[in-house]
């Protein structure tokens, strides 16, 4: 039977440094984090961006894991080459094959601690359910967004993004570091229990399903012409009702929420998303039944031969 290996990634964005700091401490003190005997590969996702104190060098590494990009890597594009390198090293058929990828991020938005799942892969949903059941973390299901693709964890059979905030880019914070450690240890514990067939999935899970992202108000030249309204700032995960305030424009006009459905905003005013023309994303909160096939997919993955 192939031995399970888990890929742990910090610093996919070079200026998100709390996970990097935790990994450094772990390197110095191997007993700092209990992996429950599961083999791990710890990597800094974007070491060049880390050195430069930037999110990325040429392009967002966490949008660089595109199938077509692996066919024609330009040596002048660091992130494209790095994505290819990580898959060749740690991908399912790489030199040190990993079956599960856990990608640790921080955000400037008031997201607290949460999980991001890309699409509806059974093993992803099973693992996210186990963590929600243990720690109560919200699950953001990111799907149906053609402008946002090529995420790191999608290149592994199972993968989750862990987002923790708010924290400014390039800053260390004790709360962020301790929450990263807690979530990492809980993930390893749950994977260990799946390996031993001693885990207990919940009957239900709460999903925040991505609906769409919206931009800031802009003037005729395309420049940002307003900011997130004070009543919306730092209100991630709080349900919107029709006519709630979204933005305050420079001319004093208030832009309001006009949807009939009570969507839930996430990643409100995330600093790194300004360049992506995203002021916030709308999600729909849904209660899902845990499916037996999710459980079986995760078991099969962990016990694959």
């Amino acid at each position: 039977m192939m031995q399970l290996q888990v890929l742990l990634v910090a610093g996919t964005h070079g200026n998100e440094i709390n996970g990097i700091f935790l990994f450094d401490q772990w390197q110095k003190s191997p007993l700092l984090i209990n992996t429950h005997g599961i083999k791990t590969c710890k990597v800094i996702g974007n070491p060049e961006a880390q050195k430069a104190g930037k999110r990325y060098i040429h392009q967002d590494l966490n949008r660089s894991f595109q199938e077509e990009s692996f066919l024609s890597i330009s040596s002048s594009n660091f992130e494209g080459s790095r994505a290819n390198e990580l898959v060749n090293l740690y991908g399912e058929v790489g030199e040190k094959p990993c079956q599960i990828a856990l990608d640790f991020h921080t955000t400037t938005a008031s997201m607290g601690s949460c999980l991001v799942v890309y699409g509806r892969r059974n093993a992803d949903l099973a693992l996210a359910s186990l963590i929600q059941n243990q720690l109560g973390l919200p699950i953001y299901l990111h799907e149906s967004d053609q402008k946002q693709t090529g995420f790191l964890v999608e290149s592994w059979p199972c993968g989750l993004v862990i987002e923790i905030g708010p924290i400014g880019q390039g800053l260390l914070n004790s709360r962020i570091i301790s929450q990263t450690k807690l979530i990492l240890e809980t993930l390893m514990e749950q994977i260990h229990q799946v390996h031993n067939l001693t885990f207990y999935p919940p009957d239900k899970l709460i999903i925040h399903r991505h609906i769409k992202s919206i931009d800031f108000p802009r003037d005729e030249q395309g420049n940002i012409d307003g900011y997130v309204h004070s009543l919306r700032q730092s209100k991630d995960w709080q349900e919107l009702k029709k006519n709630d305030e979204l933005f305050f424009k420079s001319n004093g006009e208030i832009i309001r929420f006009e949807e009939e459905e009570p969507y839930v905003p996430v990643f409100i005013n995330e600093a790194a998303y300004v360049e992506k023309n995203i002021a916030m994303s709308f999600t729909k909160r849904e209660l899902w039944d845990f499916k037996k096939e999710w459980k079986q997919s995760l078991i099969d993955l962990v016990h694959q031969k």
Side-chain angles (χ1 to χ4, degrees):
M1 183 179 289
M2 181 189 295
Q3 184 169 13
L4 175 70
Q5 282 198 130
V6 177
L7 177 64
L8 304 175
V9 187
T12 298
H13 297 130
N15 57 3
E16 297 177 10
I17 63 173
N18 288 266
I20 297 172
F21 181 84
L22 180 62
F23 281 20
D24 286 343
Q25 296 303 302
W26 190 7
Q27 193 75 28
K28 295 169 187 170
S29 306
L31 298 179
L32 179 68
I33 291 172
N34 184 0
T35 62
H36 297 271
I38 295 169
K39 286 191 69 174
T40 61
C41 297
K42 299 186 287 291
V43 301
I44 305 305
N46 199 331
E48 292 301 312
Q50 179 202 358
K51 288 178 203 165
K54 297 165 63 174
R55 183 175 174 86
Y56 55 79
I57 301 299
H58 296 117
Q59 67 184 40
D60 192 333
L61 178 62
N62 205 30
R63 307 294 187 278
S64 298
F65 289 79
Q66 307 276 6
E67 291 284 337
E68 61 273 15
S69 69
F70 294 149
L71 302 176
S72 55
I73 296 298
S74 164
S75 59
S76 62
N77 183 321
F78 176 76
E79 280 78 18
S81 299
R82 180 61 172 159
N84 197 35
E85 179 182 35
L86 288 171
V87 171
N88 286 337
L89 279 171
Y90 304 107
E92 200 173 7
V93 293
E95 294 175 28
K96 303 174 183 177
C98 295
Q99 293 75 44
I100 299 173
L102 304 175
D103 190 12
F104 291 87
H105 288 253
T106 56
T107 170
T108 65
S110 296
M111 294 286 283
S113 296
C114 68
L115 303 174
V116 184
V117 176
Y118 296 101
R120 304 191 183 201
R121 298 189 303 186
N122 289 345
D124 294 356
L125 290 166
L127 185 55
S129 301
L130 295 176
I131 302 307
Q132 184 176 85
N133 197 37
Q134 292 295 312
L135 299 177
L137 302 190
I139 299 170
Y140 173 31
L141 173 64
H142 192 280
E143 63 177 5
S144 306
D145 185 349
Q146 298 309 310
K147 293 179 181 177
Q148 300 285 321
T149 59
F151 299 98
L152 182 150
V153 296
E154 293 180 296
S155 287
W156 276 263
C158 174
L160 301 179
V161 163
I162 296 87
E163 284 277 5
I164 308 177
I167 178 71
Q169 295 160 339
L171 296 178
L172 290 173
N173 179 283
S174 60
R175 178 180 60 86
I176 303 290
I177 294 166
S178 62
Q179 287 182 353
T180 303
K181 180 177 182 292
L182 171 64
I183 295 168
L184 172 51
E185 288 192 314
T186 304
L187 277 157
M188 299 309 294
E189 178 191 29
Q190 289 302 304
I191 294 168
H192 172 70
Q193 290 190 8
V194 173
H195 188 264
N196 289 345
L197 300 177
T198 57
F199 69 109
Y200 300 97
D203 294 328
K204 308 273 186 184
L205 69 158
I206 300 168
I207 289 284
H208 289 80
R209 179 170 59 85
H210 178 86
I211 301 298
K212 64 180 178 180
S213 298
I214 63 169
D215 194 6
F216 293 90
R218 294 182 183 270
D219 63 20
E220 292 176 358
Q221 286 72 46
N223 299 312
I224 290 177
D225 188 32
Y227 52 82
V228 173
H229 196 280
S230 59
L231 294 175
R232 200 56 44 223
Q233 181 60 49
S234 305
K235 298 296 196 313
D236 303 78
W237 307 113
Q238 295 189 24
E239 194 172 84
L240 286 166
K241 296 180 176 60
K242 192 167 184 181
N243 294 320
D244 277 352
E245 301 84 351
L246 292 178
F247 301 103
F248 191 86
K249 290 184 67 175
S250 56
N251 64 3
E253 178 189 350
I254 294 174
I255 296 179
R256 298 177 182 274
F257 178 70
E258 296 179 348
E259 307 280 350
E260 296 297 333
E261 284 201 72
Y263 291 148
V264 178
V266 297
F267 287 107
I268 299 171
N269 217 9
E270 159 60 51
Y273 289 178
V274 175
E275 67 175 28
K276 302 181 192 301
N277 298 337
I278 296 174
M280 66 186 76
S281 295
F282 290 157
T283 70
K284 187 175 181 182
R285 185 180 288 133
E286 299 176 342
L287 185 65
W288 288 11
D289 291 326
F290 186 95
K291 295 182 179 177
K292 281 188 259 184
E293 54 263 37
W294 299 353
K295 176 180 178 180
Q296 194 58 52
S297 289
L298 188 56
I299 292 171
D300 291 346
L301 180 67
V302 169
H303 288 90
Q304 66 176 295
K305 296 179 181 177

